[in-house]
Amino acid sequence: MSVLRGKKVVLGISGGIAAYKTAHLVRLFIKAGAQVQVIMTPASRDFITPLTLSTLSKNPVHSSFYNEEDDNAQWNNHVELALWADLMLIAPATANTLSKMVNGNCDNLLIATYLSAKCPVYFAPAMDLDMYKHPSTIASFKALHQFGNIVIPAESGELASGLSGEGRMAEPENIVAFLEADIESKLPLKGKKFLITAGPTYEAIDPVRFIGNHSSGKMGFDIAACAAKYGAEVTLISGPSHLNTNDSRISLLRIVSAQEMYEACHQYFADSDVVICAAAIADYRPKNVATTKIKKTEDHFSIELEKTKDVLASLGQIKEKQFLVGFALETNNEIENAKLKVQKKNLDLIVLNSLQDEGAGFGKATNKVTFIDKDFGIHSMDLKSKEAVAEDIINKIIEQYHV
């Protein structure tokens, strides 16, 4: 899955022949899962139509501050466009547009948006070879680099003038690959290996019955997705769940019982940097499992249970470099019980859920958590979607682990 998935991209198009390539570029962004807003300079409309780009981006295309033909038109707010963006790409970036970016010559909507942008700004130059090597162009590159803008180098090949050399705008596929590589290189969890557990375990009574719980696995899956989004390589061990993932950074291993969870966690633990145990693992299992279906013959039926192995505690005992995170679902004396788990299980952080909090717990789209670190620092969060809680958990780990 591309790191561009979910990103909000403002694509600025200036007036060069390479503007015709931006239709394909928009298609690639959409295919990668990004949202795209296109801003065109007036000159760029001579090379590609706004209708083409609005159709491909599924958004209106902006090219002026307001519609001069509509007396009731609202202005296109360049500040809102700039603040909306996770990244801004100017492609093609002509010599004229580069000069305006450097000098703040704000005579069109694209430059106004650029000057208001707080997100990373990339630009893909496109011009003839002599223009590309002219001292004024080189000075523009240096100035924009000092501003923190990132150049996507032009490529060599046949140019619109008929000459051949450096100055062609990078091909759309290469632009997307450049952006993905640059974004990935700056992700805070790049190079880190995460081990995450999710879902319930099922403890067999006989071949058709089991003891289980109501965990859906959603919290663990959301944490895994968030860790992967920030660049981590994730091993996700899940008990029975209908959830799935198609993220290439997540290796999903499915297990059923607490014993299988124990064995899988110990298999991957040594190679992990961060371990998050979000699974609802059974504390007890039937001592004897029937080999055939138990018939309904008695009015009363008893099952003798035995303790399962405590996965989290066992990992805490052998922890070396790992940052170990546990979950606690409590109904009373929540804070004190969670603090005891931090101590007894040698945790770096515990995520406390209370069933007393409305909207928290199994089978819900929301959760409300409290973080307690190994020094007993307490940080309570508001009720949020589980996706937002996952973000909070990963950000807390980044903060505490000093990634």
Side-chain angles (χ1 to χ4, degrees):
M1 185 168 61
S2 172
V3 292
L4 291 171
R5 183 176 181 82
K7 295 288 187 185
K8 298 173 182 176
V9 179
V10 165
L11 173 61
I13 303 174
S14 59
I17 186 62
Y20 82 90
K21 296 181 180 180
T22 57
H24 186 39
L25 183 56
V26 171
R27 284 291 299 270
L28 291 175
F29 279 136
I30 297 299
K31 185 177 180 181
Q35 300 177 54
V36 183
Q37 296 254 30
V38 176
I39 303 174
M40 303 178 71
T41 64
S44 70
R45 295 164 64 99
D46 294 331
F47 299 97
I48 187 168
T49 68
L51 177 60
T52 298
L53 296 168
S54 64
T55 301
L56 295 173
S57 68
K58 303 178 178 62
N59 279 312
V61 169
H62 310 289
S63 60
S64 61
F65 288 99
Y66 62 94
N67 184 352
E68 296 179 2
E69 298 177 0
D70 184 356
D71 291 337
N72 297 314
Q74 291 184 328
W75 75 308
N76 292 316
N77 190 328
H78 59 280
V79 175
E80 286 186 1
L81 285 167
L83 294 179
W84 174 85
D86 294 314
L87 68 93
M88 184 175 188
L89 168 66
I90 300 175
T94 61
N96 183 45
T97 292
L98 292 174
S99 178
K100 290 180 180 181
M101 291 165 65
V102 170
N103 295 292
N105 185 1
C106 187
D107 65 349
N108 62 48
L109 181 63
L110 173 55
I111 299 300
T113 304
Y114 162 73
L115 293 173
S116 300
K118 299 185 183 301
C119 62
V121 176
Y122 299 81
F123 62 97
M127 61 198 75
D128 209 65
L129 73 167
D130 292 322
M131 297 172 67
Y132 192 71
K133 294 180 179 179
H134 194 276
S136 65
T137 304
I138 294 171
S140 292
F141 290 163
K142 289 181 179 177
L144 292 172
H145 175 72
Q146 291 174 349
F147 295 166
N149 301 163
I150 303 160
V151 62
I152 302 176
E155 299 175 355
S156 295
E158 185 177 351
L159 303 169
S161 65
L163 299 175
S164 183
E166 193 174 20
R168 286 169 57 110
M169 186 180 86
E171 293 301 313
E173 291 85 356
N174 296 339
I175 289 175
V176 170
F178 183 99
L179 291 172
E180 289 176 330
D182 189 69
I183 293 169
E184 283 183 359
S185 71
K186 297 170 182 174
L187 293 174
L189 296 178
K190 183 175 175 59
K192 297 298 181 182
K193 293 184 177 181
F194 273 54
L195 173 61
I196 299 172
T197 68
T201 62
Y202 290 173
E203 310 304 323
I205 298 172
D206 62 21
V208 297
R209 301 182 180 92
F210 61 85
I211 296 173
N213 59 60
H214 297 296
S215 174
S216 65
K218 180 169 172 53
M219 191 72 260
F221 273 76
D222 286 342
I223 295 169
C226 185
K229 183 179 75 171
Y230 284 119
E233 180 183 332
V234 180
T235 298
L236 175 60
I237 304 173
S238 175
S241 172
H242 70 281
L243 299 175
N244 212 329
T245 178
N246 59 1
D247 194 317
S248 61
R249 289 193 186 86
I250 301 175
S251 297
L252 176 59
L253 174 63
R254 295 193 183 276
I255 56 88
V256 176
S257 68
Q259 181 61 29
E260 290 175 346
M261 180 70 82
Y262 178 93
E263 293 169 0
C265 286
H266 280 263
Q267 178 182 347
Y268 292 99
F269 183 74
D271 199 35
S272 301
D273 297 301
V274 177
V275 181
I276 306 172
C277 293
I281 303 172
D283 295 319
Y284 292 89
R285 66 185 177 195
K287 185 174 182 179
N288 299 300
V289 180
T291 56
T292 59
K293 182 182 177 183
I294 299 170
K295 296 296 183 181
K296 187 171 62 175
T297 57
E298 305 294 333
D299 290 337
H300 301 281
F301 181 71
S302 298
I303 300 174
E304 185 179 359
L305 301 177
E306 63 180 3
K307 268 191 174 183
T308 58
K309 293 178 180 177
D310 191 323
V311 175
L312 187 57
S314 69
L315 297 178
Q317 289 174 356
I318 61 173
K319 183 182 75 170
E320 295 178 351
K321 63 181 178 63
Q322 295 85 358
F323 188 89
L324 185 57
V325 182
F327 272 65
L329 179 62
E330 302 290 344
T331 57
N332 61 293
N333 297 326
E334 293 95 336
I335 297 295
E336 293 308 312
N337 286 333
K339 285 181 177 179
L340 285 173
K341 285 187 178 181
V342 171
Q343 282 184 317
K344 290 175 61 178
K345 303 192 180 188
N346 193 22
L347 305 182
D348 296 287
L349 182 70
I350 198 163
V351 183
L352 170 62
N353 293 248
S354 172
L355 284 182
Q356 304 299 329
D357 292 325
E358 188 175 350
F362 291 147
K364 295 183 173 66
T366 57
N367 207 352
K368 187 177 186 301
V369 302
T370 297
F371 296 115
I372 303 176
D373 61 36
K374 62 183 178 182
D375 298 319
F376 295 150
I378 299 173
H379 187 191
S380 297
M381 309 299 290
D382 295 329
L383 181 69
K384 300 181 180 181
S385 69
K386 285 187 174 177
E387 293 87 350
V389 172
E391 290 270 352
D392 288 341
I393 291 169
I394 295 300
N395 285 326
K396 192 69 175 177
I397 291 169
I398 292 172
E399 172 194 322
Q400 296 279 331
Y401 190 36
H402 305 297
V403 174

